[in-house]
Amino acid sequence: MDDPYHNNVNQQVMEGGDYTYSQDGYPYQTDYPPQDEDAASDATEGADEDDQMYEGEYQGIPHPDEIKEARRAARMEARRKARLAAQQEEEEENLPEQYETIMEDCGHGRFQWMLFFVLGLALMADGVDGFVVGFVLPSAEKDMCISNADKGLLGLLVYVAMMVGALVWGGLCDKMGRRKCLIYVLTIDLVFSFLSCFAQGYGFFLFLRFCSGFGIGGSIPIVYTYFTEFLQMDKRGEHLSWLCMFWMLGGLYASFTAWGIIPHYGWGFAIGTEFQIHSWRLFILVCLFPALAALIGIIFMPESPRFLLENARHDEAWMILRQVHDTNWKAKGEPERVFTVTNIKTPQTQEDEFIEIQSDTGTAFQRWTVRHMTMLQQVMANVMSLSAPELRLQGLFLVIVWFCLAFSYHGLGVWFPDMIKYMEYEEYESKVRVFHRERVERFHFNFSLVNQIHREGEYIHDKFANIEIKSVKFEDSLFENCYFEDVKSTNTFFENCTIKNTVFYNTDLWQEKFKDCRMENATFLHPKKGCHLNFQEENDIVIYLVSFLGSLAVLPGNIVSALFMDKIGRIRIIGGSMLVSSACTFLLLLSFSQGFVICWQCLFYGVSVAAWNGLEVISVELYPSSKRGTAFGILNGICKFAAIIASFIFAAFIGITKIIPIFLAFAALVCGGLVALKLPETREKILS
């Protein structure tokens, strides 16, 4: 006999899904299928929930109504997220085109040129900072008695600080803002550079220069990212290349001021006997002017509107874009033109919602913690997102090109001046005068001794007064009843000598200058403290001249790359420049004099600068706005890392061979140039 109730149940089983039967023969569903939100439950229809007890309550089995309610909420949340994702995707697709249209409507004029000079000064400050350590080291190492190991540590830590600064500030500018981070960067550099002018101890000086490098290291990623977002597509390549010229101006400024200040030892002053401010410290102080001018200028500049739009700050972005529009068209004599944009797409992320929810809750410390921890998570998420499949390959190519160009450029940048110094030293050594077994008795040395070697000599009742002894070595000699007074020495040593009944009064001859010597009744009165560098001799103007000419040689390459960046494209500029530069390195094999080295240095710098300009332009154009600063910071950090490695490798071969450094530079440039040809062209690419 057919049971209509069981038939109804069987029909529900076939239509609704799989059921399991209890011992009583009643079915219950283990996996409820999706149902409409207004569907009624057959099992509970017409039942009084207050009077009826659910039999699974004490068995831990959820009530069917509870399951339905949870699933209904889950479906609603899923639909809400899907609508939000679709809306955000549409807005992200529309924002780049809309922003490009707005920038074209704003035009290119007075506002961009004001920002150009302000950001150029910030870039110039970075260029100056790259030269400071190299120029002050010859003076600072003597003034603070820095050993060769400590001298190498100073150069290393400054580059490490700049590398860390590029990584940190590049990521932060995508979350905190371009303008705010640039203000922090310049302030840190100014404060710690200023304090380093007065540091008397080497350890404190090292710490302050490290902090200064950490600050200024973030300027390049921020500057290029910031300026790019105020440029329309057909202006980006040319004007970013013009901006690169300020780094060259930084080198010229540092070289010129070092040449004019450091050799003048008398320009310093002293406070007491311990606090000495010599001319090289005044040079560091003068080098702060570009950073100070940039900081003052950036305070009056607005934030990047593209950054504000990416962070859902529509009203602020609209006001800045209107300011750009009105400033440009008023300067062009068309004040009647009205900014017609009324609405701009502003995608909003879940992190923004989380921060907004937490902004008004909890204590001040909790709110601060939430904001900064969330920002740190966003920065790390940005870094991880750069390994996405669509960015992975082009990112790898960029890393290779950056590393190869930086390795060869900075490596040869160390090799050129060191090679010139070595050639000078070889020429100097070839003119050394050797005195063997001379006997000098009751003689008054009132003239300087320069570039001499005295072996097995005897000096009896002699007087050395008011003289300079430079690059002189006394070997296996005897000094008996001699008198040294007011003697200045540079690179002078006494080796395996016997010194009897001799007085040293007011000299800078201390124990380190006597190697394996026998002292018998030797007296040291009023010895001079410190290393007492003779600035007139040790600061050879050739080094400043070489740096000045090297920076000046960049000018033609900068002009050519700026004029042709948008005409022939970024890829041809980068690849062609690196390959031609690799050919220039072979000419270094023909350099047998200082003049030839300087000529090939200028040629190399003039050709390779075009590759730098193209690489910096393409690096800001390839990545989306929300990741642009992070990506550029990583690439610039890799550049500093390559510079550190190259400095050690190239410096190790000075005086040994020049074939290996030249071959390494050639190989790196060829490899980077060929890989650069695989990069996508971006001259007609709208900023994503």
Side-chain angles (χ1 to χ4, degrees):
M1 181 178 178
D2 294 336
D3 188 346
Y5 175 77
H6 285 89
N7 290 339
N8 187 31
V9 170
N10 292 335
Q11 185 177 359
Q12 290 181 5
V13 170
M14 296 177 63
E15 295 176 355
D18 296 331
Y19 280 77
T20 302
Y21 288 85
S22 65
Q23 294 179 355
D24 299 334
Y26 291 98
Y28 64 91
Q29 192 171 8
T30 58
D31 188 13
Y32 284 84
Q35 299 182 20
D36 294 335
E37 296 180 9
D38 55 351
S41 172
D42 294 338
T44 59
E45 186 174 359
D48 188 356
E49 295 181 358
D50 295 334
D51 298 335
Q52 184 175 353
M53 178 75 67
Y54 171 56
E55 63 180 6
E57 180 178 356
Y58 296 104
Q59 301 177 13
I61 301 174
H63 194 283
D65 288 345
E66 296 177 1
I67 297 176
K68 291 179 180 179
E69 186 64 28
R71 288 180 174 170
R72 183 180 297 112
R75 288 195 301 271
M76 293 178 64
E77 179 66 15
R79 284 196 291 267
R80 186 189 70 81
K81 289 183 177 180
R83 288 195 300 268
L84 181 63
Q87 180 182 1
Q88 181 174 343
E89 183 178 358
E90 180 184 358
E91 290 173 346
E92 289 177 348
E93 290 177 354
N94 292 338
L95 177 58
E97 289 82 1
Q98 186 181 14
Y99 190 80
E100 180 65 29
T101 303
I102 294 172
M103 292 311 302
E104 290 177 356
D105 184 56
C106 291
H108 188 93
R110 175 180 292 179
F111 182 89
Q112 279 83 1
W113 285 112
M114 290 191 300
L115 185 64
F116 172 82
F117 284 108
V118 171
L119 296 181
L121 288 171
L123 196 60
M124 183 177 173
D126 180 90
V128 170
D129 224 59
F131 286 88
V132 166
V133 172
F135 285 151
V136 304
L137 264 181
S139 304
E141 66 176 316
K142 300 296 183 183
D143 197 19
M144 294 190 285
C145 298
I146 303 175
S147 65
N148 288 332
D150 290 338
K151 181 172 65 174
L153 182 63
L154 175 61
L156 171 65
L157 284 184
V158 169
Y159 264 108
V160 170
M162 296 178 76
M163 178 182 70
V164 175
L167 296 173
V168 171
W169 293 110
L172 289 178
C173 79
D174 280 334
K175 295 303 173 184
M176 295 175 59
R178 289 53 162 131
R179 174 180 175 272
K180 181 185 294 186
C181 283
L182 189 56
I183 290 175
Y184 289 158
V185 160
L186 293 172
T187 302
I188 292 173
D189 177 54
L190 279 169
V191 170
F192 288 102
S193 293
F194 178 77
L195 293 177
S196 71
C197 298
F198 305 96
Q200 299 296 303
Y202 175 68
F204 196 37
F205 179 77
L206 190 69
F207 169 76
L208 294 173
R209 294 311 305 178
F210 179 88
C211 295
S212 171
F214 171 76
I216 201 62
S219 62
I220 291 181
I222 300 174
V223 163
Y224 283 101
T225 301
Y226 193 5
F227 192 50
T228 298
E229 294 173 349
F230 280 96
L231 296 174
Q232 58 199 69
M233 182 174 61
D234 59 342
K235 300 288 185 180
R236 282 200 309 264
E238 177 184 353
H239 289 273
L240 286 174
S241 298
W242 291 127
L243 185 66
C244 296
M245 293 182 64
F246 279 92
W247 204 92
M248 172 207 70
L249 294 177
L252 292 175
Y253 179 82
S255 304
F256 187 75
T257 53
W259 190 353
I261 295 176
I262 294 180
H264 298 280
Y265 185 75
W267 286 11
F269 60 91
I271 302 177
T273 58
E274 299 294 333
F275 197 77
Q276 304 287 331
I277 303 297
H278 294 147
S279 57
W280 65 269
R281 299 179 185 272
L282 296 178
F283 164 70
I284 296 179
L285 192 63
V286 172
C287 286
L288 299 180
F289 292 161
L292 179 61
L295 179 60
I296 295 173
I298 202 65
I299 291 175
F300 297 97
M301 292 291 110
E303 181 57 85
S304 164
R306 185 61 184 270
F307 166 78
L308 296 174
L309 291 173
E310 293 288 340
N311 288 270
R313 294 159 65 178
H314 173 278
D315 293 342
E316 296 175 66
W318 186 88
M319 292 296 294
I320 293 171
L321 289 170
R322 179 181 177 182
Q323 176 188 351
V324 175
H325 177 278
D326 293 347
T327 301
N328 287 339
W329 290 111
K330 285 180 181 178
K332 294 177 181 179
E334 300 183 34
E336 68 280 357
R337 294 192 60 159
V338 179
F339 186 58
T340 58
V341 177
T342 57
N343 185 41
I344 311 174
K345 299 292 184 181
T346 53
Q348 186 167 349
T349 64
Q350 293 180 356
E351 289 84 358
D352 297 323
E353 295 175 353
F354 180 74
I355 293 176
E356 290 174 1
I357 293 172
Q358 296 292 329
S359 295
D360 300 323
T361 60
T363 63
F365 177 76
Q366 290 173 333
R367 293 195 298 271
W368 184 90
T369 303
V370 166
R371 290 192 184 98
H372 288 79
M373 289 302 296
T374 304
M375 182 177 63
L376 179 61
Q377 293 172 2
Q378 293 177 3
V379 171
M380 295 306 299
N382 254 4
V383 174
M384 298 303 296
S385 67
L386 294 177
S387 61
E390 63 273 13
L391 299 176
R392 188 182 304 156
L393 186 60
Q394 65 188 28
L396 177 61
F397 288 161
L398 271 178
V399 167
I400 294 174
V401 178
W402 271 89
F403 184 89
C404 291
L405 183 57
F407 179 83
S408 58
Y409 185 89
H410 290 287
L412 290 176
V414 170
W415 188 82
F416 284 130
D418 283 355
M419 193 64 186
I420 292 173
K421 289 180 182 179
Y422 179 73
M423 289 180 172
E424 286 184 333
Y425 175 76
E426 280 190 324
E427 183 180 357
Y428 191 75
E429 286 286 301
S430 66
K431 299 178 181 179
V432 65
R433 298 177 62 190
V434 180
F435 298 87
H436 188 66
R437 291 184 178 181
E438 62 178 353
R439 179 181 176 87
V440 182
E441 189 172 355
R442 300 184 184 279
F443 185 78
H444 182 193
F445 288 88
N446 57 1
F447 51 87
S448 295
L449 305 178
V450 180
N451 197 21
Q452 299 174 2
I453 297 177
H454 298 262
R455 295 192 178 103
E456 301 180 16
E458 294 182 3
Y459 304 90
I460 313 297
H461 293 285
D462 293 328
K463 182 178 181 181
F464 301 80
N466 297 310
I467 66 172
E468 177 188 359
I469 306 177
K470 179 185 177 183
S471 298
V472 175
K473 184 184 294 183
F474 295 94
E475 300 176 350
D476 303 306
S477 299
L478 171 66
F479 292 84
E480 186 173 357
N481 296 316
C482 293
Y483 181 75
F484 291 80
E485 180 181 1
D486 293 327
V487 174
K488 294 180 180 180
S489 64
T490 303
N491 194 29
T492 296
F493 300 97
F494 298 79
E495 294 183 359
N496 198 28
C497 295
T498 300
I499 301 175
K500 296 180 179 180
N501 305 318
T502 297
V503 176
F504 296 88
Y505 179 82
N506 195 32
T507 71
D508 60 2
L509 299 173
W510 64 90
Q511 293 182 353
E512 286 78 3
K513 301 209 172 184
F514 297 92
K515 300 180 179 180
D516 301 322
C517 293
R518 293 175 296 278
M519 298 285 186
E520 298 179 12
N521 195 26
T523 305
F524 291 85
L525 300 175
H526 302 288
K528 296 179 181 179
K529 295 182 179 180
C531 303
H532 300 285
L533 168 72
N534 185 330
F535 281 73
Q536 300 295 335
E537 297 292 339
E538 291 298 315
N539 291 278
D540 193 342
I541 63 172
V542 173
I543 301 303
Y544 305 128
L545 179 61
V546 167
S547 299
F548 184 85
L549 292 177
S551 299
L552 189 62
V554 170
L555 180 60
N558 260 316
I559 296 174
V560 171
S561 62
L563 295 177
F564 291 95
M565 187 68 69
D566 290 318
K567 292 181 173 62
I568 66 176
R570 287 77 161 127
I571 304 306
R572 293 179 181 176
I573 288 284
I574 300 171
S577 174
M578 293 185 71
L579 293 176
V580 174
S581 298
S582 67
C584 293
T585 58
F586 269 111
L587 297 176
L588 294 172
L589 293 172
L590 306 176
S591 57
F592 300 102
S593 66
Q594 297 180 38
F596 275 107
V597 172
I598 295 173
C599 289
W600 303 143
Q601 173 196 15
C602 294
L603 179 61
F604 174 79
Y605 284 163
V607 174
S608 61
V609 69
W612 280 115
N613 293 354
L615 194 56
E616 285 158 348
V617 171
I618 199 173
S619 295
V620 294
E621 292 179 331
L622 273 178
Y623 290 94
S625 298
S626 59
K627 303 176 179 64
R628 186 169 294 124
T630 304
F632 204 110
I634 292 175
L635 294 171
N636 198 250
I638 290 171
C639 170
K640 298 297 188 293
F641 178 69
I644 294 171
I645 296 176
S647 299
F648 282 103
I649 294 177
F650 281 68
F653 290 100
I654 296 296
I656 300 175
T657 178
K658 59 183 178 181
I659 295 177
I660 294 179
I662 292 172
F663 175 76
L664 291 175
F666 171 80
L669 288 168
V670 170
C671 176
L674 295 177
V675 172
L677 299 177
K678 299 293 184 181
L679 291 170
E681 182 57 69
T682 58
R683 58 176 166 171
E684 296 181 357
K685 182 179 184 295
I686 295 177
L687 292 180
S688 57

